[in-house]
Amino acid sequence: MRLSPVSVSNLYSMATTDVTALTFGLTLVRHGETQYNKEGLLQGQAVDSPLSETGRQQADAAGRYLRDVNFTNVFVSDMLRAKQTAETIMKHNSSCLRLQMICDPLLKEKSFGVAEGKPVKEVREMAQAAGQSFPNFTPPHGETQEQVKERVRQFMEKMLLLMGNEDWLHRGKDVSSASVRETQQEEQNAHQGVQGVQAHALVVTHGAYMCVAVRHFVEELGCDVPQGCDRAHMFSLSPNTGMCRFILTVGKEQDTLVLSGIHCVFIHRKDHVKELH
């Protein structure tokens, strides 16, 4: 599969290199529970609450689940609940000891405008009255889906540019598309899909933001989805510390970096928190 550069918004500049194909892992993690989550209140961007006790336990469980997975980059929303989750995951992971956590406002939660701080149930009713679904609904003064999607596009460009320009990366070997397809047959564990990839980003962000990102990957970038995964589940809200993993195939075209394929390894995985319920 090859995606046109237009589909990815822009070409990504990179230094001249002998590498003609790269494969990147991308693991998205939603932050742990906050008191607002527990009480069914909408946070968005105006409410910058910390993790609850349960949220800290969830982040710890996520860290233990991912402890042996190799990461080369860590990107995090600049909101407190995401940063606390990322810090806990990194504390458990030896590959993260040498990494700097990059906080990026492009990964912020969707703004829900006047609905922030209100019960999610009330906002769902507002959405239903407007003939829309939550979290796709845009309350007054909130961000539209297109605005959030633009932030997703901008972040992807920044991420691929940064990861693609790592000097050490270009000393590695190419990974063929055949070996990427074989990841679909791997055992369903924390390493699934990222054995042999040349770079792997941990991205800790938010529920509604992840919904927009996943929909963008599937509907606009032609992302391959796991066998038997229905769209309703694919586009649903990930649970607290729920995980989604993608494999990005990136090629070089006239000294620029172009996303040429994307495959979803798993979606909304929550095995690590089952024991907490």
Side-chain angles (χ1 to χ4, degrees):
M1 177 182 67
R2 178 160 182 80
L3 306 176
S4 68
V6 176
S7 298
V8 197
S9 180
N10 283 305
L11 296 175
Y12 309 129
S13 299
M14 65 179 289
T16 301
T17 172
D18 292 329
V19 174
T20 56
L22 302 170
T23 54
F24 295 163
L26 171 62
T27 297
L28 299 176
V29 181
R30 187 187 176 195
H31 63 80
E33 181 199 79
T34 67
Q35 190 63 30
Y36 272 69
N37 289 144
K38 186 176 181 178
E39 296 177 4
L41 301 173
L42 197 59
Q43 292 167 104
Q45 295 181 6
V47 180
D48 198 15
S49 53
L51 298 180
S52 64
E53 177 57 34
T54 296
R56 289 191 289 272
Q57 292 176 9
Q58 291 170 338
D60 190 68
R64 286 185 278 109
Y65 182 76
L66 294 171
R67 63 188 173 194
D68 297 322
V69 176
N70 187 62
F71 293 105
T72 57
N73 304 78
V74 179
F75 302 94
V76 185
S77 159
D78 63 354
M79 304 199 75
L80 181 59
R81 54 194 184 272
K83 290 190 289 186
Q84 289 181 329
T85 302
E87 287 167 355
T88 301
I89 293 173
M90 294 177 72
K91 179 182 68 176
H92 285 280
N93 190 293
S94 59
S95 71
C96 291
L97 296 178
R98 55 184 169 79
L99 301 180
Q100 179 181 0
M101 181 173 72
I102 299 177
C103 295
D104 195 328
L106 289 172
L107 293 168
K108 278 182 184 291
E109 178 58 297
K110 175 181 178 178
S111 170
F112 287 95
V114 299
E116 294 185 354
K118 294 184 178 181
V120 174
K121 181 181 178 182
E122 182 178 323
V123 183
R124 288 184 186 276
E125 291 171 352
M126 291 171 61
Q128 187 175 13
Q132 300 179 38
S133 61
F134 178 84
N136 299 330
F137 174 62
T138 302
H141 308 299
E143 278 186 294
T144 65
Q145 293 294 96
E146 193 60 39
Q147 288 173 321
V148 180
K149 185 166 61 179
E150 181 57 30
R151 287 201 282 121
V152 171
R153 291 193 190 107
Q154 290 178 22
F155 170 73
M156 291 291 290
E157 290 177 15
K158 287 177 63 175
M159 181 191 76
L160 290 179
L161 178 60
L162 178 61
M163 293 172 70
N165 272 318
E166 298 279 9
D167 290 337
W168 59 265
L169 183 63
H170 307 307
R171 295 193 294 269
K173 61 182 181 179
D174 290 351
V175 178
S176 69
S177 57
S179 65
V180 172
R181 288 194 297 269
E182 287 167 6
T183 63
Q184 300 178 43
Q185 308 301 322
E186 289 181 352
E187 184 180 353
Q188 294 184 4
N189 57 32
H191 297 276
Q192 186 182 2
V194 289
Q195 298 283 18
V197 299
Q198 291 153 307
H200 184 195
L202 170 66
V203 176
V204 182
T205 182
H206 305 265
Y209 185 94
M210 284 174 64
C211 283
V212 174
V214 171
R215 186 177 288 273
H216 173 57
F217 294 167
V218 173
E219 293 187 341
E220 297 184 44
L221 301 187
C223 177
D224 296 328
V225 302
Q227 187 174 6
C229 181
D230 65 89
R231 293 173 70 87
H233 175 67
M234 195 94 184
F235 300 148
S236 64
L237 192 67
S238 197
N240 288 114
T241 67
M243 302 177 186
C244 303
R245 178 169 293 161
F246 300 87
I247 302 298
L248 312 178
T249 305
V250 182
K252 193 184 76 165
E253 185 175 287
Q254 297 180 342
D255 297 332
T256 56
L257 201 62
V258 181
L259 180 63
S260 58
I262 182 168
H263 164 69
C264 179
V265 180
F266 56 73
I267 196 82
H268 307 321
R269 181 168 288 181
K270 57 181 180 179
D271 301 358
H272 55 288
V273 293
K274 286 182 179 178
E275 61 189 50
L276 300 179
H277 298 294

